[in-house]
Amino acid sequence: DLMTLSFKKVTDIHLHSEGFNGMKPGGSVATVTTFSAIAVMILLIACINFTNLATARASQRAREVALRKVLGATRGQLIVQFLSESVLTAMIALGVALAMVQVALPSYNSVLNKTLALDFAGAGGLLLVIFVLICLVGVIAGLYPALYLSGFMPSRILKANKSAAAEGSGQLRMALVVLQFAMSIGLTVCTAVVYTQTLYAKTTNLGYDQSNLLVVRANNHAEAERVMDTLRREVTKVPGVRIAALSTDVPADGNSSNGLFEIPGKPSPEPLLLMQRNVDYGFFDTYKVPLLAGRALDEDHSGDDTPLKADDRVARGANIVINSRALSRLGFSSPEAAVGQHLNAMAGETSSDKRTMDVTIVGVVGDIYYDSVRVDVEPTFFQHLSPLGWL
């Protein structure tokens, strides 16, 4: 009722697995596309610069073109000559660029904590890409200057006895300059937006204190799972450790589970869905999560421990803590109004088991980002399970 299964091609795992809970943290095809588009725009600006400079300097080559035509050169030969010059310029520019990349790559890798490298040979080599790029950029940048310069009329230039450029290029150069500035402004705006979004992500209140925290993962370690509570107590005895707590999930790991609730006396066409987090008694103190109303889960209150078995849950009930986003989902006007309220939680172990247990809201805490800051915080409830029920 709550989950839909879908297939993912193995070749799509790396760049197309966002939100798919893939086998490993993947990349983002949107990021790759964005940076590729920026690179293409910068390259087009460079091509426009070359085109404008070539046409602006046309008067210096008018006499050369006229003399070549007088000596028998065809327009096609002149076009090939100018395109060859453009491709050669692109080749020199790319050589300088690759040298700069090689010099800057170690520092770049240290900043990104990556091991990027330029491979020119082999199956994934760049030689073919470089050759195609040189030809493409050379042709794009030099095509119009080649057509423009090769169209000079020898009789007009030699008769005038001056290096007069042919007319008609001014409007195109003006249009290219306008396009160039428009693209530059667009890139500047995009850079400002990305910077402000990055600054927002870095300065957003995540709902907990990230400083001086160490997360030790014990997933799928049977020995650790059996002695987790003992391990937690022993860790707190280590000099310098102030507090330790257990939890099934940690903020920013993206994992989630959920629970279904009903409000007594308020019939609803379907149960209300809240994200579920299993936490230790000292979890909120460990992460320094602000308490808005009520109290945190406490081992001195027997009702704060949620039973593992469905029969015990139905018979005993349990206490929970909710976050701010859950207030509106449950229809409470304030954190104080939610404390002490009772809910019916689905307690069955299968989808056909419709039994419910009584849960009491004993506290309300601030919102914690368990996922990226690009994803809204979900309405969440926190419960305590005995260590055997953690993983």
Side-chain angles (χ1 to χ4, degrees), residues 284-365:
F284 300 117
D285 190 21
T286 302
Y287 284 87
K288 298 182 181 178
V289 179
L291 187 67
L292 305 182
R295 62 175 178 83
L297 298 174
D298 191 340
E299 59 185 338
D300 293 335
H301 295 78
S302 59
D304 286 0
D305 185 35
T306 303
L308 295 176
K309 296 182 179 180
D311 292 339
D312 295 334
R313 288 199 292 267
V314 173
R316 290 173 46 192
N319 297 330
I320 63 171
V321 172
I322 64 175
N323 69 349
S324 297
R325 294 295 177 95
L327 292 175
S328 57
R329 175 67 61 88
L330 297 172
F332 299 119
S333 58
S334 66
E336 292 75 15
V339 176
Q341 297 295 327
H342 292 262
L343 304 172
N344 293 328
M346 298 299 173
E349 297 179 350
T350 64
S351 59
S352 59
D353 188 350
K354 302 300 182 182
R355 290 181 295 172
T356 63
M357 70 170 177
D358 177 68
V359 297
T360 304
I361 301 173
V362 298
V364 179
V365 296

Side-chain angles (χ1 to χ4, degrees), residues 27-227:
S28 169
V29 67
T31 301
V32 174
T33 303
T34 300
F35 280 105
S36 299
I38 292 173
V40 170
M41 289 181 67
I42 294 175
L43 199 57
L44 285 177
I45 291 174
C47 292
I48 291 173
N49 270 335
F50 182 87
T51 301
N52 282 335
L53 289 173
T55 52
R57 295 175 64 249
S59 61
Q60 301 178 16
R61 305 197 66 177
R63 208 175 270 153
E64 172 194 346
V65 172
L67 289 175
R68 286 182 181 276
K69 284 190 173 183
V70 168
L71 294 175
T74 64
R75 185 176 187 186
Q77 290 174 329
L78 292 173
I79 290 176
V80 171
Q81 174 196 338
F82 292 130
L83 286 179
S84 300
E85 293 175 0
S86 177
V87 170
L88 179 61
T89 303
M91 184 182 302
I92 296 173
L94 185 60
V96 174
L98 290 176
M100 295 173 64
V101 169
Q102 285 287 76
V103 171
L105 203 54
S107 300
Y108 189 72
N109 285 335
S110 65
V111 172
L112 294 183
N113 195 23
K114 300 289 184 181
T115 54
L116 302 178
L118 291 177
D119 295 325
F120 297 99
L126 298 175
L127 283 179
L128 180 59
V129 176
I130 289 175
F131 176 76
V132 173
L133 186 62
I134 290 174
C135 295
L136 187 62
V137 172
V139 171
I140 292 176
L143 184 58
Y144 176 74
L147 295 174
Y148 175 60
L149 291 172
S150 63
F152 287 173
M153 300 298 294
S155 58
R156 293 179 55 190
I157 294 174
L158 296 178
K159 182 179 180 180
N161 193 25
K162 61 180 180 179
S163 299
E167 299 177 355
S169 64
Q171 292 183 349
L172 179 60
R173 289 207 308 273
M174 183 68 68
L176 291 176
V177 169
V178 171
L179 177 60
Q180 177 184 358
F181 273 98
M183 295 171 66
S184 300
I185 293 172
L187 287 176
T188 302
V189 172
C190 292
T191 302
V193 171
V194 171
Y195 174 76
T196 53
Q197 288 294 301
T198 303
L199 187 63
Y200 170 79
K202 289 181 177 180
T203 57
T204 295
N205 181 13
L206 301 178
Y208 64 96
D209 189 353
Q210 305 175 69
S211 60
N212 303 317
L213 287 179
L214 175 65
V215 175
V216 179
R217 299 183 183 275
N219 304 60
N220 302 321
H221 293 278
E223 295 298 327
E225 291 179 20
R226 284 195 290 267
V227 296

